[in-house]
Amino acid sequence: MNYRSRKWKRKREKILKRDGYLCQYWKRFGKRQEATTVHHIWPAAQYPEYIWCDWNLISLSTDAHGRMHDADGNLTEEGERLRRRAAPPPGSEKGK
């Protein structure tokens, strides 16, 4: 996954705009915090077929994104909870 590519930058901006530039994690708790990162709910390395799917992307603040991954980049329990809530919709491997 090339996070510096033009394609990713366009996708990232689309998702941030969709989410109102607000962190969707903290929004669940009634807090307004700026989103700075777009997170792959189903990790890109393990699920490359979902990399570009809008349903698999969520806007997060830096600290919320840190709650989703451990030091090795694996999903934390919080990241796993989010992944379990975001089951892939039928036909989702085709993306967008």
Side-chain angles (χ1 to χ4, degrees), residues 7-18:
K7 183 177 180 179
W8 174 251
K9 288 178 182 180
R10 283 193 312 261
K11 177 62 83 168
R12 178 185 177 275
E13 183 61 29
K14 177 183 176 183
I15 299 304
L16 288 169
K17 187 175 181 178
R18 177 197 71 192

Side-chain angles (χ1 to χ4, degrees), residues 4-5 17 26 35 38-39 43 45 48 52-53 65 67 80 91:
R4 294 183 179 175
S5 72
K17 187 175 181 178
W26 289 114
V38 172
H39 171 68
W52 301 105
C53 298
H65 192 241
R67 292 170 177 262
E80 284 292 340

Side-chain angles (χ1 to χ4, degrees), residues 1-57:
M1 178 72 209
N2 181 1
Y3 291 104
R4 294 183 179 175
S5 72
R6 185 183 309 182
K7 183 177 180 179
W8 174 251
K9 288 178 182 180
R10 283 193 312 261
K11 177 62 83 168
R12 178 185 177 275
E13 183 61 29
K14 177 183 176 183
I15 299 304
L16 288 169
K17 187 175 181 178
R18 177 197 71 192
D19 293 342
Y21 300 92
L22 292 173
C23 176
Q24 300 303 293
Y25 175 80
W26 289 114
K27 187 177 175 181
R28 292 178 47 230
F29 300 103
K31 297 181 181 180
R32 291 179 56 88
Q33 192 168 10
E34 180 185 11
T36 55
T37 304
V38 172
H39 171 68
H40 285 92
I41 300 167
W42 289 71
Q46 291 89 6
Y47 302 93
E49 66 272 25
Y50 301 148
I51 287 176
W52 301 105
C53 298
D54 289 359
W55 64 264
N56 187 41
L57 299 168

Side-chain angles (χ1 to χ4, degrees), residues 37-94:
T37 304
V38 172
H39 171 68
H40 285 92
I41 300 167
W42 289 71
Q46 291 89 6
Y47 302 93
E49 66 272 25
Y50 301 148
I51 287 176
W52 301 105
C53 298
D54 289 359
W55 64 264
N56 187 41
L57 299 168
I58 187 171
S59 300
L60 298 175
S61 63
T62 301
D63 67 307
H65 192 241
R67 292 170 177 262
M68 302 298 147
H69 298 280
D70 65 18
D72 296 324
N74 299 311
L75 289 179
T76 60
E77 183 54 37
E78 192 66 30
E80 284 292 340
R81 274 194 290 274
L82 177 61
R83 188 184 61 77
R84 286 191 298 268
R85 286 194 307 265
S92 57
E93 65 279 350
K94 294 190 172 64

